[in-house]
Amino acid sequence: MAYAQVRLKILPSVRCLFDKLVQIKVEGLVPHKPVKLRSKLVDDRGMIFKASALYKADEKGQVDVCSAPSLGGSYTGVEPMGLLWAMAPDIPHTKLLKKNVLTPTLVQFEALSEETGKVLASETNERGYMTEGMKRIPLQEGKIRGVLFIPPGNGPFPGIIDLYTLGGGLTEPRASLLASKGFVVLSLAYYRYQGLPKNPENLDLEYFEEALTYLKSRPEVEGPGIGIISISHSGALALAMSSFFSGISATVFINGCNANAVIPLHYKDMVIPPLTPVIKNVKITNSGLMDIRDALQDPTMEKNRASLIPIERSSCQFLFAASEDDRNWNSAFFAKQAAEILRNNGKESFQLVTYPKAGHFLEVPYMPYCQSGFHAAVGREVVFGGEPKAHSEAQLDLWERVQLFFRSHLGNKSTC
């Protein structure tokens, strides 16, 4: 049987930003015959991620992933981007790593004969992080370490500080993709990066204040207020910055804790101690992973109140986003509690959104779901929760909300 005419197309183009949907079409197949589609990428550490799905060609010998259902494989049903979000690592407990946003993530798509396993057609999707004309500026200003992303054009643009999770170093994909939407974004490292402490005994809020002052001073940044986006451990840092510093207008808090955790937080003469974990609340899953969801107690209990971030002092807008199946900690409980504290103090300056079957790492759209991985504070693999499809849908929804939230509350539209 001749397959020379089989073509796999990625529309509208093989090149796009990482958060963009593409249409995958296969033409020239035998009508009504099964065909297997598969995807593969290799991350910056050399880790391989893959997905596959079984389709049936229509009467014209075509498969359009945007309208045809997968009949089996990594996912089922009509899922236009299933070959991306359903990717799983070859080595369990691996999270996709993208260190260098100057190069795209290459995703190879293949169509294979279900009968013979022969590759009929293939194409590579180049999923980038930087728009043309965007600037990426590595920063070593005073104590500050990070990378500044400036969109193309005259500006000025609303400014955002991007804080990532526990584990140190710097993560740039979210910051660069946010900058592609018209924001100046500072991806800020706070340990294990270019001369910053490897294992800090405490975190000084003055460092984050210096970063805020620096970003506000940039001529490309439109005032009056700055935004912050955080996830996981950095959520408490974002809340602390919003509580103690002026000049912050909008804070996004994703799957965080409303009390300090892991490392003591210092500001001037004040110390916010970390919540003490309750080891007996840690469970072991059937697959031998740790489930640490309930290790942290209610921070409003009298014995824990010293760890609580005093967000009632804040004057900014908040977007609290929480996954209800987060197994890293009880994110939905912490987010609802933070909202309740604001409400009890006469403040309605927040939005709260929860995602029923999503897990811990709510990333940019189409980032492969991370079910489990090594936890820096625990020192071993933990489960992060969620179901791949629901998690992917949450990422898509939250990404749109984040952009709308920042557009509504930063720049000359600022409510503060």
Side-chain angles (χ1 to χ4, degrees):
M1 192 179 294
Y3 289 110
Q5 75 277 30
V6 176
R7 289 191 302 160
L8 192 153
K9 293 179 174 177
I10 298 168
L11 303 170
S13 169
V14 294
R15 292 185 186 88
C16 64
L17 284 173
F18 193 93
D19 63 336
K20 293 298 181 198
L21 183 142
V22 289
Q23 181 182 16
I24 300 160
K25 283 183 85 170
V26 187
E27 298 172 347
L29 298 164
V30 178
H32 308 297
K33 283 281 189 183
V35 61
K36 184 178 182 180
L37 300 187
R38 69 183 181 193
S39 56
K40 175 184 169 183
L41 72 79
V42 182
D43 80 358
D44 287 3
R45 236 181 335 209
M47 295 295 181
I48 295 168
F49 292 75
K50 290 190 294 208
S52 65
L54 185 66
Y55 287 89
K56 186 175 162 187
D58 65 14
E59 66 279 358
K60 294 178 184 168
Q62 297 181 354
V63 169
D64 181 345
V65 174
C66 287
S67 55
S70 164
L71 307 173
S74 303
Y75 60 93
T76 55
V78 179
E79 296 292 340
M81 294 294 278
L83 286 167
L84 268 163
W85 62 251
M87 280 183 161
D90 271 4
I91 298 173
H93 323 310
T94 302
K95 187 173 182 290
L96 190 146
L97 181 76
K98 183 59 185 167
K99 278 289 198 197
N100 180 11
V101 295
L102 295 174
T103 61
T105 292
L106 303 179
V107 183
Q108 185 182 45
F109 294 107
E110 292 179 329
L112 300 91
S113 164
E114 175 64 9
E115 294 167 357
T116 66
K118 180 185 171 186
V119 176
L120 310 175
S122 69
E123 187 62 87
T124 300
N125 184 198
E126 298 179 20
R127 304 187 67 79
Y129 301 87
M130 306 267 293
T131 50
E132 189 149 348
M134 189 193 292
K135 291 183 190 141
R136 177 191 176 276
I137 305 169
L139 278 191
Q140 289 195 344
E141 291 280 336
K143 293 178 188 158
I144 306 166
R145 298 292 178 268
V147 170
L148 189 69
F149 293 96
I150 302 172
N154 296 326
F157 306 97
I160 296 168
I161 294 175
D162 184 311
L163 298 171
Y164 204 65
T165 187
L166 194 71
L170 198 66
T171 303
E172 300 179 29
R174 182 173 68 181
S176 56
L177 287 166
L178 257 183
S180 77
K181 314 299 177 204
F183 301 98
V184 173
V185 185
L186 168 56
S187 181
L188 184 66
Y190 56 97
Y191 72 109
R192 285 194 191 167
Y193 185 79
Q194 292 187 354
L196 294 172
K198 279 203 168 133
N199 297 296
E201 292 181 7
N202 54 66
L203 292 173
D204 291 315
L205 266 184
E206 283 92 343
Y207 172 79
F208 301 90
E209 193 167 32
E210 189 179 325
L212 174 67
T213 303
Y214 170 78
L215 188 60
K216 285 172 71 176
S217 74
R218 292 286 307 201
E220 304 91 346
V221 173
E222 178 186 15
I226 297 296
I228 305 175
I229 184 166
S230 61
I231 185 169
S232 192
H233 177 260
S234 67
L237 292 171
L239 295 188
M241 292 170 73
S242 307
S243 304
F244 294 109
F245 307 159
S246 61
I248 294 167
S249 294
T251 298
V252 175
F253 172 91
I254 303 168
N255 285 339
C257 179
N258 59 323
N260 187 34
V262 188
I263 306 169
L265 195 54
H266 289 219
Y267 185 53
K268 297 179 178 170
D269 301 330
M270 181 189 62
V271 179
I272 302 178
L275 272 178
T276 306
V278 180
I279 303 304
K280 72 175 196 295
N281 289 352
V282 174
K283 301 180 184 73
I284 304 294
T285 68
N286 293 336
S287 56
L289 294 169
M290 291 180 85
D291 181 339
I292 59 172
R293 176 186 173 94
D294 299 318
L296 293 186
Q297 302 175 78
D298 181 346
T300 61
M301 289 165 61
E302 191 57 45
K303 63 177 180 177
N304 298 327
R305 290 191 73 85
S307 300
L308 196 63
I309 308 295
I311 56 168
E312 64 278 1
R313 296 174 47 137
S314 66
S315 59
C316 71
Q317 295 285 329
F318 290 98
L319 171 57
F320 299 118
S323 298
E324 291 182 13
D325 194 37
D326 186 350
R327 310 309 302 177
N328 181 75
W329 49 26
N330 198 341
S331 290
F333 174 79
F334 295 138
K336 287 171 184 172
Q337 190 173 76
E340 192 60 29
I341 289 168
L342 289 175
R343 194 179 283 117
N344 290 343
N345 282 272
K347 296 183 175 181
E348 293 291 335
S349 52
F350 63 87
Q351 300 169 35
L352 172 66
V353 56
T354 59
Y355 297 105
K357 293 176 182 175
H360 184 60
F361 283 110
L362 286 178
E363 302 276 6
V364 295
Y366 315 125
M367 190 66 78
Y369 156 73
C370 179
Q371 184 176 24
S372 56
F374 181 82
H375 193 292
V378 179
R380 58 178 281 190
E381 276 80 21
V382 303
V383 63
F384 288 127
E387 295 173 10
K389 178 175 158 60
H391 190 87
S392 170
E393 288 169 351
Q395 290 186 156
L396 203 55
D397 180 83
L398 180 58
W399 188 234
E400 294 304 317
R401 284 177 189 269
V402 163
Q403 294 171 59
L404 183 62
F405 175 74
F406 282 137
R407 286 205 181 96
S408 303
H409 300 299
L410 294 182
N412 53 26
K413 297 178 286 297
S414 170
T415 54
C416 296

